[in-house]
Amino acid sequence: QLQLVESGGGLVQPGGSLRLSCAASGSALDYYTIGWFRQAPGKEREGVSCISSSDGSTYYADSLKGRFTISRDNAKNTVYLQMNSLEPEDTGVYYCAADRSTTARYMCLLYETTYWGQGTQVTVSS
């Protein structure tokens, strides 16, 4: 059974940066497509960025404007989300998710996921 634990959230000022980590246990992450999702207060959960297991291809939500970068370190069984130039609109709970049978694009757009982490809070405020 794959288990996911997010970390790295916190309070940051607008324009600042954070790096979120999603550490996996119970199974090797190599075989899974991994995604980052977020849910802002009063809004639906949305796919932020996803990375495929097969070829490392990535998907990013259009609203990010190139500010976020997803990466994976299979040796450490961890996926990262580097978030730069953070805006108040980026505030929310960030979740990582995993699935063995989907692509980055389908995971982010269609929420094709099997496993979820518990989430980490990101607050962007002055």
Side-chain angles (χ1 to χ4, degrees), residues 81-118:
L81 185 68
Q82 178 67 43
M83 306 188 296
N84 299 326
S85 302
L86 283 162
E87 303 170 352
E89 293 72 23
D90 296 315
T91 293
V93 180
Y94 283 69
Y95 301 89
C96 69
D99 192 275
R100 291 190 66 153
S101 305
T102 189
T103 65
R105 181 176 179 84
Y106 282 177
M107 172 175 277
C108 265
L109 290 178
L110 302 179
Y111 294 18
E112 291 187 349
T113 62
T114 302
Y115 302 98
W116 289 92
Q118 83 290 347

Side-chain angles (χ1 to χ4, degrees), residues 43-119:
K43 295 187 177 180
E44 293 186 356
R45 192 172 298 189
E46 64 172 336
V48 173
S49 180
C50 298
I51 184 166
S52 292
S53 60
S54 55
D55 59 4
S57 59
T58 57
Y59 174 88
Y60 293 94
D62 292 340
S63 60
L64 297 181
K65 304 172 188 175
R67 297 181 294 117
F68 292 8
T69 303
I70 191 171
S71 62
R72 63 193 303 157
D73 186 339
N74 290 336
K76 294 184 178 180
N77 236 24
T78 301
V79 172
Y80 304 98
L81 185 68
Q82 178 67 43
M83 306 188 296
N84 299 326
S85 302
L86 283 162
E87 303 170 352
E89 293 72 23
D90 296 315
T91 293
V93 180
Y94 283 69
Y95 301 89
C96 69
D99 192 275
R100 291 190 66 153
S101 305
T102 189
T103 65
R105 181 176 179 84
Y106 282 177
M107 172 175 277
C108 265
L109 290 178
L110 302 179
Y111 294 18
E112 291 187 349
T113 62
T114 302
Y115 302 98
W116 289 92
Q118 83 290 347

